[in-house]
Amino acid sequence: MKILGIETSCDETAAAVVEDGRRMLSSVVSSQVELHARYGGVVPEIAARQHVPAMIPVVQEALDRASCRLSDVAAVAVTYGPGLAGALLVGLNFAKALAYACSLPLVPVNHLEGHIYAAWIDREEEPDFPALVLIVSGGHSDLVLMEDHGRYQRLGQTVDDAAGEAFDKVARLLGLGFPGGPAIDRLAGAAPSPRLRLPRARLDRPYDFSFSGLKTKVQRIVRGEEGEKPEAAELAAAFQESVVDSLVTKALQAAADRGARQIILSGGVAANSLLRAVLVQRSPLPVLVPPPALCTDNGAMIAACGHRRLLAGDIARLDIDVQPGLRIG
Ligand code: KG4
Ligand code: ZN
């Protein structure tokens, strides 16, 4: 069964065809990153407008690369939240039109749930529940216990900045441009064992995250308010190490406390090389991390998750609206 997945929740126009929820036949991502880079971050209005001309070519290319036509597709799965309202509207309305015109079921997908399903695309491993999921992206840092398909319990979240947001803000402080995550990842590679140690936030709720204090600390160091300024690579590496340590320590603690059988890491920040390496190294449980291209936003994860939702009978009416603040668990 082939599902067409469509994703427009932020600044990527993406479409993909996935067979039986696991086998990726195509995945096309048109990134607007250059358009937003000059503003230092995603501008919602520009993102929404840019999805419009990109939508049809991206979907056409996804079908072409999968060597299939719309008549071969069993359903159209689309992100309806969370994300930027205007951006989500473009993908959802396009998917509605396509589903209506081709008499296909319209399957609504929660973007965060989509990130999780990226873990099983083109992999041998089967889902093993309960699984501890760490979703770290530009907008979210969630620790979730996945008890079964479609059954989630949110254990923790960020109380201020999301992990990706912290990477982006610190990159700006270091003059590295947008998006900051990949730039910090690269620069930190030049200082593999930083001597500088930055603090880890301590919170009352053990599975919650906080990154704004760390960002302020970096800001003070950059401004010379904390004595001699270290090299930018040293600072980037120390920041990255602090974020990774918090994420991994809390994920492993939650997995042990809740008897998880598998750990899943996903979302854009899961593309971070140190986070991937440290989690695998410290985890006593099997760790599933999608390849970097499936960690950042894509249509394949929406198609994969959509397959599951379709099997569960989750078909939307054509008056479904976007849910920019949608959560998981
Ligand atoms: O999941 P995603 O593509 O979009 C959202 O749903 O937000 O995540 C984007 C975020 C950005 O903040 C970006 O800086 C971060 O993921 N990111 C990284 C890396 N690649 C992307 N953060 C750290 N290291 C990376 N290699
Ligand atoms: Zn995302």
Side-chain angles (χ1 to χ4, degrees):
M1 188 196 284
K2 297 185 181 100
I3 309 277
L4 172 66
I6 294 174
E7 154 66 37
T8 63
S9 68
C10 192
D11 61 338
E12 259 102 30
T13 317
V17 179
V18 173
E19 191 165 36
D20 298 331
R22 300 287 289 265
R23 209 160 74 83
M24 188 164 74
L25 302 183
S26 67
S27 179
V28 178
V29 179
S30 166
S31 174
Q32 310 174 0
V33 76
E34 279 167 27
L35 217 54
H36 299 283
R38 78 182 87 149
Y39 303 104
V42 176
V43 183
E45 180 64 24
I46 295 178
R49 283 170 191 266
Q50 186 55 33
H51 285 310
V52 176
M55 198 74 258
I56 291 176
V58 165
V59 168
Q60 187 63 59
E61 196 173 334
L63 291 168
D64 290 349
R65 285 199 204 166
S67 303
C68 75
R69 289 182 298 199
L70 280 167
S71 52
D72 303 321
V73 163
V76 181
V78 62
T79 305
Y80 72 109
L84 303 170
L88 288 164
L89 271 170
V90 178
L92 181 61
N93 281 322
F94 179 79
K96 280 183 190 182
L98 207 57
Y100 180 68
C102 304
S103 302
L104 289 169
L106 178 72
V107 181
V109 173
N110 177 329
H111 179 83
L112 298 171
E113 198 180 356
H115 271 304
I116 301 175
Y117 279 80
W120 295 297
I121 293 175
D122 288 340
R123 297 280 287 262
E124 297 296 319
E125 291 92 338
E126 291 300 323
D128 197 3
F129 301 122
L132 191 284
V133 183
L134 175 60
I135 307 170
V136 270
S137 70
H140 296 268
S141 303
D142 289 331
L143 263 183
V144 177
L145 191 70
M146 182 174 189
E147 293 159 333
D148 201 343
H149 292 290
R151 273 185 45 209
Y152 305 96
Q153 199 186 330
R154 184 154 27 97
L155 305 175
Q157 63 218 313
T158 179
V159 299
D160 40 56
D161 293 347
E165 197 180 348
F167 269 95
D168 293 338
K169 287 179 177 173
V170 165
R172 199 177 314 164
L173 289 172
L174 297 177
L176 298 176
F178 174 83
I184 289 193
D185 198 345
R186 241 176 285 122
L187 183 62
S193 328
R195 272 172 292 128
L196 177 68
R197 190 185 149 88
L198 295 175
R200 280 75 166 139
R202 299 226 181 285
L203 297 161
D204 292 340
R205 288 169 49 94
Y207 308 136
D208 278 352
F209 302 106
S210 167
F211 299 112
S212 77
L214 177 62
K215 175 197 65 194
T216 305
K217 180 83 176 171
V218 173
Q219 187 175 40
R220 289 181 53 82
I221 294 173
V222 168
R223 287 182 180 158
E225 294 166 9
E226 301 261 332
E228 204 185 323
K229 256 173 75 173
E231 294 280 324
E234 174 89 358
L235 196 47
F239 162 78
Q240 180 172 268
E241 192 178 79
S242 171
V243 174
V244 166
D245 186 31
S246 295
L247 293 173
V248 171
T249 302
K250 290 179 185 227
L252 294 182
Q253 188 61 53
D257 294 350
R258 298 304 176 110
R261 299 169 61 89
Q262 191 175 59
I263 296 184
I264 294 166
L265 173 65
S266 197
V269 180
N272 184 266
S273 53
L274 187 73
L275 177 57
R276 301 166 75 89
V278 171
L279 182 60
V280 169
Q281 189 192 344
R282 284 175 49 185
S283 173
L285 297 170
V287 177
L288 264 78
V289 194
L294 290 177
C295 288
T296 47
D297 292 349
N298 63 86
M301 69 187 202
I302 303 304
C305 182
H307 177 255
R308 235 333 123 176
R309 307 276 17 109
L310 181 65
L311 295 183
D314 201 355
I315 296 169
R317 289 180 6 168
L318 289 181
D319 62 356
I320 183 179
D321 204 355
V322 296
Q323 282 195 40
L326 190 65
R327 316 227 42 170
I328 187 168

